[in-house]
Amino acid sequence: MERPDPNSPLDYDEALRIARDWAQDPGTLIAHPHQGLENARYGRGFAFLETLRSGTNGYVLVSTTRTGGGVLSADRDIDAVIAEHLVDAEHTNRHIPDSELSAVHRVALDAYDAGLTRIDEIPARATLDAETADYAEFILLILRNNQGQGDSGRKILAHNDFLLESPTPGRRDTQPCPHCGRPAVYQARYPRAVCGHCFDRTTDRAGRRVTGFNIDMSGGMIAYYTDTVDQPDGSSSRSEECVEVSRTGVCFIGDHPAIMQEARFGGIVVQIAVGDL
């Protein structure tokens, strides 16, 4: 499901408009009144029933935290879907007390709140061994990758329960970016993968910014010129493909060649190339 801006207003008319865009057959939508959903502290929204093209019963749920739909069954009716949504909304908006945070999490949060890209400048870093420091660096990376919503570090942790786990003994979580040296998430399959900072600087040979996307749910990679892709402010333009990068995967970070490709399980990965291309 999508995660829209939780601070944006949402009334019935707007929810209906979104539901019609989402539904398989908008003409079959029927509002399903639900006081608990429509007045919820977190995840407030509206529910709609629809008849899917297969002839089965379906739903669309539009809320301040997510929008989505699916198939209903005898074991999972619309009220069960709404109940699950409200439990999840409460959980992901819970306050995480200090008692639930380890020293690793406190170091990562301190670095995040200070706007740092590494944990080395946090005095408490000295109390961590190499393995736990690597995990704290990983947590900081995930926090920074999710900061676009303007959420606090603790709220991001609440949205990502896996980050509250203890480090796995013997597991490596980060690696230095092969281009700039900043921390990057370790990927054994992609040992030369760049960090997020360098990932956002890829260009074609002429120096024009390009961004890679999966073609569809089945995979594939296509590169567009970044300045022609929909913008964060909601404005959009006709996306212009960079055929050269789509065809060869060869892109550049500064003057250094790199390879942009589809990741094995979806998404796009950029790796620094070995030698000239």
Side-chain angles (χ1 to χ4, degrees):
M1 290 186 179
E2 297 176 351
R3 186 184 171 207
D5 182 359
N7 298 314
S8 62
L10 179 68
D11 58 21
Y12 175 80
D13 290 339
E14 175 66 6
L16 179 59
R17 183 192 65 77
I18 295 171
R20 284 172 174 162
D21 287 341
W22 184 278
Q24 286 189 16
D25 187 350
T28 67
L29 283 175
I30 300 174
H32 179 78
H34 191 287
Q35 290 297 312
L37 174 63
E38 293 164 18
N39 296 284
R41 176 172 59 165
Y42 301 115
R44 183 181 64 82
F46 300 87
F48 303 87
L49 298 171
E50 72 163 320
T51 301
L52 302 177
R53 294 179 185 135
S54 61
T56 55
N57 295 323
Y59 72 92
V60 178
L61 192 153
V62 181
S63 79
T64 56
T65 55
R66 61 183 182 179
T67 295
V71 179
L72 298 173
S73 67
D75 297 326
R76 188 168 182 263
D77 62 13
I78 186 62
D79 290 322
V81 170
I82 293 171
E84 292 169 5
H85 163 71
L86 293 176
V87 168
D88 180 67
E90 285 285 339
H91 179 75
T92 56
N93 284 280
R94 73 193 187 280
H95 171 70
I96 299 178
D98 288 345
S99 59
E100 292 186 24
L101 298 175
S102 67
V104 172
H105 294 94
R106 292 192 184 95
V107 167
L109 283 172
D110 286 346
Y112 176 79
D113 291 340
L116 303 176
T117 58
R118 296 183 175 91
I119 64 169
D120 292 346
E121 298 176 54
I122 300 298
R125 159 64 181 88
T127 65
L128 305 179
D129 59 34
E131 189 170 275
T132 52
D134 178 59
Y135 187 56
E137 201 79 82
F138 171 76
I139 293 174
L140 175 59
L141 277 173
I142 303 301
L143 293 177
R144 290 180 59 82
N145 288 343
N146 284 273
Q147 66 184 348
Q149 294 276 341
D151 290 340
S152 68
R154 291 188 190 226
K155 190 167 185 179
I156 296 172
L157 289 179
H159 275 277
N160 298 275
D161 285 338
F162 75 95
L163 291 177
L164 293 171
E165 299 172 358
S166 300
T168 301
R171 185 182 69 188
R172 182 179 181 183
D173 290 300
T174 72
Q175 64 184 24
C177 174
H179 183 256
C180 72
R182 290 180 174 87
V185 174
Y186 174 69
Q187 303 178 74
R189 184 176 294 275
Y190 307 110
R192 298 185 64 78
V194 301
C195 67
H197 175 76
C198 292
F199 184 92
D200 291 336
R201 296 171 56 213
T202 50
T203 71
D204 64 1
R205 289 183 183 274
R208 187 176 176 186
R209 278 279 291 116
V210 293
T211 302
F213 297 89
N214 289 132
I215 294 175
D216 53 37
M217 292 295 290
S218 62
M221 191 274 287
I222 187 170
Y224 291 110
Y225 289 110
T226 307
D227 57 10
T228 70
V229 178
D230 290 0
Q231 300 301 308
D233 63 2
S235 61
S236 63
S237 56
R238 184 180 181 85
S239 297
E240 180 184 351
E241 181 182 0
C242 177
V243 177
E244 170 194 337
V245 177
S246 292
R247 180 173 56 83
T248 67
V250 176
C251 58
F252 293 83
I253 302 172
D255 295 327
H256 205 296
I259 299 295
M260 179 184 294
Q261 65 189 93
E262 175 194 8
R264 185 184 184 193
F265 297 109
I268 302 297
V269 63
V270 176
Q271 296 194 87
I272 285 293
V274 179
D276 297 327
L277 295 176

